Amino acid sequence: MAGSVLHRAAGSMAAVATLALALSASPALAAGTAGTASVLADRVTDDTVKLELRQDGVLHVTETVTFEGRPPTRKLVDRTRYDDGSDRLYQITGFKGDGTLTGDSITLKEGSGTATLEYDVKGAVTPLADAQELRWYAVGAWSVPVVQAKVTVSGPAQLQNLSCFAGVLTSAIGCTTASPDHTGTTAEFEQQELGPGEVLTVVVGYPTGATKGAPVLERRFELSNAFTLNTVTGGALAGLLVLMLGGLGLLYWTRGRDARVVGHESGSLSAVENGHFAPPDGVRPGQIGTLMDEQADVVDVTATIVDLAVRGFIRIDEQPRQAYDSPDWMLVRMPGAPTNTLLSYERALYDAIFDGRDGVLLSHLQGSFAANLGKVRDALYRDVVTQGWFARRPDTVRTRWTTVGVLLTVAGVVATVALAWFTTYGLLGLALIIAGAAMAVGGQYMPAKTSKGAGALAHTLGFREYLASGDVGGDIPPAQRVELFSRYLPYAVIFDSVERWARVVSSVTGNGQQADNLYWYHGPAEWDLSKFADSMRTFTMTTSGAISSTRQFRSL
């Protein structure tokens, strides 16, 4: 008996403990259930929309939304794809009511759970061949589910047809119901259960001319459309290219060609008159380079230094060196030289070399020499104008045409971007780019020689042919050969035959015998003229390198 009583007492205590545990846990369970109910309550229970299509094509929207939980948001459809080249815009204006419109998003206000909205839509009407179609995404794209939606559409004319679709924006699934009223001027649509982000689209047909509505289109930028090649764009591009490139050709024909010179197309010309050196038209080596290619080059300055030496203004002393030393030369100012007879570019170069000193190593030609070479270049260009060979400085002409070409190219790039962005005629801008690039490149060929310059060039080319023939000096007295052949040497630098003429110079002296030095070039001890050709080739290369490093002259 006692055991039974104890057993019953233990059972009663367990029951009480279980009941107490259940009671203590019930508030937490209730809270959890309430939280779940709160999450599920975030929804639109009813969305009633009234659409009024007016004769001007504007769709007036009045919308009443009933919701539970937190205020939902809606994304209005303000842009759809219209065709391969354009987007269709739906312009929302006059928004007011219990919410805010930011961009294309509507956010309802906190409150009683009911909100009324009002706004106008432009661009929802599409004229067809024999009708007008109103299409609007009346309900949907809410951030929460919609339990029930109702849409009423009224317009300025009798309905011709109607349809509706529910689901994603491009859905072809019909809505729950769609029907006209007894008057045939109002359509009613209903849809049950729209998911978050899903849309109810209504479509209503009206007779042609019922409204003045039309799509609002915006061209969509795509590279494939921006540079469309068809009969219009292809023909226009070809026409522009012919016009512009033809114009450039005409400019070159009238402005960039050398003047024609009759009777100056001479053959081989000697540079000897009465046994003395006399280059054709008195052209000096530095002038020849600028006359031939219309550029002041490194080789023009190198040839001028050699020319100043053979004419007695400078002496070139080759310095002794060990087996692994770099070659070097001392440029020595010759006392009593008539420097007042030098041309302006020669005097500028002479002053740049010595700069108040009587001698300088070639390897030390830096600092003021490099800075003053710009003056030599400018003097060379001025000289060819002074000589009457060019009407204007060749570098100025090139710069002017190149600048215009670059500006035209930039304008072409801007035009291409603008045409490609706003139209399908982007190809037309390419014509400007091509023409500008052609002008920038062609500007290098625009400097034109005068008739005097063209004649001097023809004689210069004849002199080059004479030097290249190898048949020179046969009738020159031995006593005059060293000086005469030395005078040829700077021109050989320009004509790229310096080594050959250096060997010619080293082959003779005043008495026809080998000598240790020339009057303008001295070698170190144990050096004789048999090494002159190699020394001269190395000297011209080293000098050209020193001048080229200053970046004042064009390198070949």
Side-chain angles (χ1 to χ4, degrees):
M1 171 89 50
S4 298
V5 172
L6 290 173
H7 181 72
R8 285 197 298 270
S12 298
M13 292 176 65
V16 171
T18 302
L19 179 59
L21 181 61
L23 290 174
S24 65
S26 60
L29 178 61
T33 304
T36 304
S38 175
V39 172
L40 294 175
D42 287 345
R43 61 181 179 172
V44 172
T45 57
D46 184 77
D47 193 353
T48 300
V49 182
K50 292 183 179 180
L51 304 179
E52 179 191 355
L53 180 61
R54 297 169 178 169
Q55 284 190 331
D56 59 2
V58 174
L59 181 66
H60 182 70
V61 181
T62 304
E63 184 172 3
T64 302
V65 184
T66 303
F67 61 93
E68 295 177 352
R70 292 168 297 183
T73 60
R74 178 186 177 186
K75 295 281 281 187
L76 289 173
V77 177
D78 63 352
R79 179 188 296 266
T80 60
R81 182 183 178 87
Y82 184 76
D83 57 24
D84 289 340
S86 301
D87 287 340
R88 181 172 190 160
L89 305 183
Y90 300 93
Q91 297 176 339
I92 311 299
T93 59
F95 182 86
K96 59 184 178 179
D98 303 322
T100 57
L101 176 64
T102 305
D104 60 352
S105 296
I106 296 175
T107 303
L108 301 185
K109 293 180 180 179
E110 297 274 1
S112 61
T114 301
T116 300
L117 308 173
E118 210 172 330
Y119 53 90
D120 292 330
V121 181
K122 183 180 179 182
V125 177
T126 305
L128 303 176
D130 54 355
Q132 285 187 340
E133 179 184 272
L134 167 66
R135 178 183 292 264
W136 179 238
Y137 311 94
V139 177
W142 287 102
S143 59
V144 297
V146 177
V147 177
Q148 177 176 277
K150 298 177 183 179
V151 180
T152 302
V153 182
S154 61
Q158 292 284 322
L159 305 175
Q160 286 195 339
N161 55 70
L162 54 88
S163 60
C164 60
F165 308 97
V168 297
L169 190 63
T170 58
S171 173
I173 300 173
C175 64
T176 303
T177 62
S179 61
D181 70 353
H182 65 283
T183 65
T185 59
T186 302
E188 297 178 346
F189 305 88
E190 288 189 21
Q191 175 63 33
Q192 308 294 326
E193 303 296 340
L194 283 172
E198 292 185 338
V199 178
L200 171 59
T201 304
V202 299
V203 183
V204 180
Y206 290 98
T208 300
T211 73
K212 298 179 181 179
V216 178
L217 302 181
E218 181 179 84
R219 183 176 174 274
R220 183 174 58 256
F221 176 76
E222 292 180 1
L223 282 177
S224 57
N225 297 328
F227 296 94
T228 301
L229 180 61
N230 52 38
T231 303
V232 175
T233 57
L237 176 61
L240 281 173
L241 284 176
V242 170
L243 181 64
M244 292 183 176
L245 296 180
L248 289 177
L250 181 63
L251 282 173
Y252 175 76
W253 186 262
T254 57
R255 301 286 300 276
R257 286 192 314 150
D258 294 343
R260 292 191 62 188
V261 181
V262 179
H264 281 280
E265 291 77 6
S266 55
S268 178
L269 288 178
S270 170
V272 179
E273 290 183 3
N274 300 321
H276 297 284
F277 178 75
D281 299 281
V283 180
R284 294 182 180 173
Q287 295 173 327
I288 284 182
T290 309
L291 179 65
M292 289 180 64
D293 60 11
E294 300 159 354
Q295 297 266 15
D297 299 325
V298 166
V299 69
D300 302 338
V301 181
T302 302
T304 300
I305 291 176
V306 177
D307 187 51
L308 290 176
V310 299
R311 286 162 53 198
F313 294 92
I314 295 174
R315 190 180 73 240
I316 303 173
D317 291 349
E318 183 176 339
Q319 301 300 294
R321 67 176 188 265
Q322 301 299 320
Y324 299 103
D325 289 345
S326 298
D328 204 356
W329 292 263
M330 174 71 75
L331 303 181
V332 180
R333 183 203 300 263
M334 299 300 290
T339 55
N340 60 318
T341 63
L342 293 175
L343 298 178
S344 60
Y345 78 91
E346 293 175 327
R347 183 56 189 259
L349 177 59
Y350 184 86
D351 291 341
I353 291 172
F354 293 109
D355 192 23
R357 54 199 169 190
D358 292 328
V360 59
L361 288 172
L362 185 62
S363 59
H364 292 175
L365 281 180
Q366 299 172 357
S368 61
F369 174 73
N372 289 326
L373 278 182
K375 299 178 181 178
V376 179
R377 181 194 61 236
D378 290 341
L380 255 176
Y381 282 126
R382 287 197 304 270
D383 180 76
V384 294
V385 175
T386 301
Q387 299 294 334
W389 298 333
F390 292 89
R392 287 169 292 276
R393 286 178 48 150
D395 59 328
T396 302
V397 173
R398 277 193 301 272
T399 300
R400 182 183 301 123
W401 284 99
T402 301
T403 301
V404 172
V406 170
L407 292 177
L408 187 59
T409 302
V410 172
V413 171
V414 173
T416 299
V417 172
L419 289 171
W421 188 263
F422 296 107
T423 72
T424 60
Y425 298 99
L427 282 175
L428 302 187
L430 297 179
L432 281 176
I433 296 177
I434 294 172
M439 182 174 288
V441 174
Q444 304 303 310
Y445 304 95
M446 290 304 291
K449 301 176 186 68
T450 63
S451 58
K452 182 178 180 181
L457 176 62
H459 293 158
T460 297
L461 296 178
F463 180 41
R464 181 176 67 179
E465 181 181 341
Y466 169 75
L467 290 180
S469 67
D471 184 22
V472 294
D475 56 346
I476 303 300
Q480 299 177 0
R481 290 184 180 181
V482 170
E483 180 182 1
L484 180 62
F485 292 169
S486 292
R487 293 295 300 273
Y488 283 161
L489 189 56
Y491 296 87
V493 173
I494 294 292
F495 298 142
D496 197 25
S497 57
V498 63
E499 188 169 0
R500 172 179 177 273
W501 272 102
R503 295 188 185 282
V504 172
V505 171
S506 65
S507 65
V508 294
T509 64
N511 57 9
Q513 302 296 320
Q514 285 285 353
D516 290 338
N517 293 294
L518 294 170
Y519 68 92
W520 60 271
Y521 190 100
H522 290 182
E526 301 181 358
W527 182 94
D528 58 40
L529 286 182
S530 65
K531 302 175 183 177
F532 175 70
D534 291 337
S535 294
M536 199 64 208
R537 174 176 53 81
T538 306
F539 172 79
T540 56
M541 291 176 58
T542 305
T543 304
S544 294
I547 297 169
S548 179
S549 66
T550 67
R551 301 184 181 276
Q552 296 290 333
F553 286 84
R554 186 178 74 107
S555 299
L556 295 179

